[in-house]
Amino acid sequence: MTTATTAVTQREPELLGQTVVVIGSSSGIGLETARRARAEGASVILAGRNPERLKQAALELGAQRTAAFDANDPASLRSFFHDLPTPIDHVMVTAGAPRYGPPLEMPPEEARRGLTERPLLVLEVARGAADKVRPPGSLIFMTGTGERFGIASTASVALSTLIANLALELAPIRVNLIAAGFVDTPL
Ligand SMILES: NC(=O)c1ccc[n+]([C@@H]2O[C@H](COP(=O)([O-])OP(=O)(O)OC[C@H]3O[C@@H](n4cnc5c(N)ncnc54)[C@H](OP(=O)(O)O)[C@@H]3O)[C@@H](O)[C@H]2O)c1
């Protein structure tokens, strides 16, 4: 007869003592990221537009604080970062969505927003976070493997180059863009 022994590997939570800000954290990828950050010992700050959904997420996760605002509004974003307690360690942005559609068929205003909205959001977050994130923290942004067509693909190329430049400017803080495939979320 053999006796099976299970080796239990103990490890320290990876984000103990750190603060993670997730802009777009009342749902989907952002909410799950915040949930995992909490499980790794981080304190989390949640942001999104709908205060009720944020409240639910904050209750579930025991969030340090929440902020309800539209991340595409530069003034709101600036005041969010201005009011943040320091230091913070990581910022993830899942807010904002690509605009799909053939360039010539898209109404001009929608095309303008599709081309400018997300790069400007990234730039504004980087400006706001630069003095708040404790090195070697990180800024993480989202794009998707589906963004290969039309206006969304143009904006996605702009995002990649912008993020590479920000990474050089903000080093040793890391700046990364994640291109997710299909993720089963409310979106
Ligand atoms: N799911 C996928 O398959 C997939 C694949 C590749 C890339 N992505 C990208 O990943 C990101 C997150 O996707 P998801 O599936 O997690 O979406 P989701 O479930 O709809 O979650 C989006 C979150 O962002 C918030 N949000 C959206 N626009 C905002 C704004 N302007 N200002 C502030 N908060 C905002 C939403 O809350 P409120 O609505 O209350 O603001 C929500 O908490 C998106 O940019 C999406 O394009 C998703």
Side-chain angles (χ1 to χ4, degrees), residues 48-94:
R49 288 168 300 187
N50 182 319
E52 268 311 306
R53 295 212 295 170
L54 271 180
K55 194 173 154 195
Q56 287 306 316
L59 278 176
E60 181 204 322
L61 302 185
Q64 181 193 127
R65 60 197 277 162
T66 61
F69 63 94
D70 184 346
N72 285 318
D73 174 37
S76 301
L77 206 47
R78 261 175 238 138
S79 101
F80 169 69
F81 278 106
H82 180 265
D83 295 343
L84 269 188
T86 50
I88 54 174
D89 296 280
H90 305 281
V91 179
M92 183 177 195
V93 183
T94 57

Side-chain angles (χ1 to χ4, degrees), residues 24-30 48-50 53 69-72 94-98 142-144 180-183 185-187:
S25 46
S26 57
S27 168
I29 297 168
R49 288 168 300 187
N50 182 319
R53 295 212 295 170
F69 63 94
D70 184 346
N72 285 318
T94 57
M142 294 287 308
T143 179
F182 176 75
V183 184
T185 69
L187 175 71

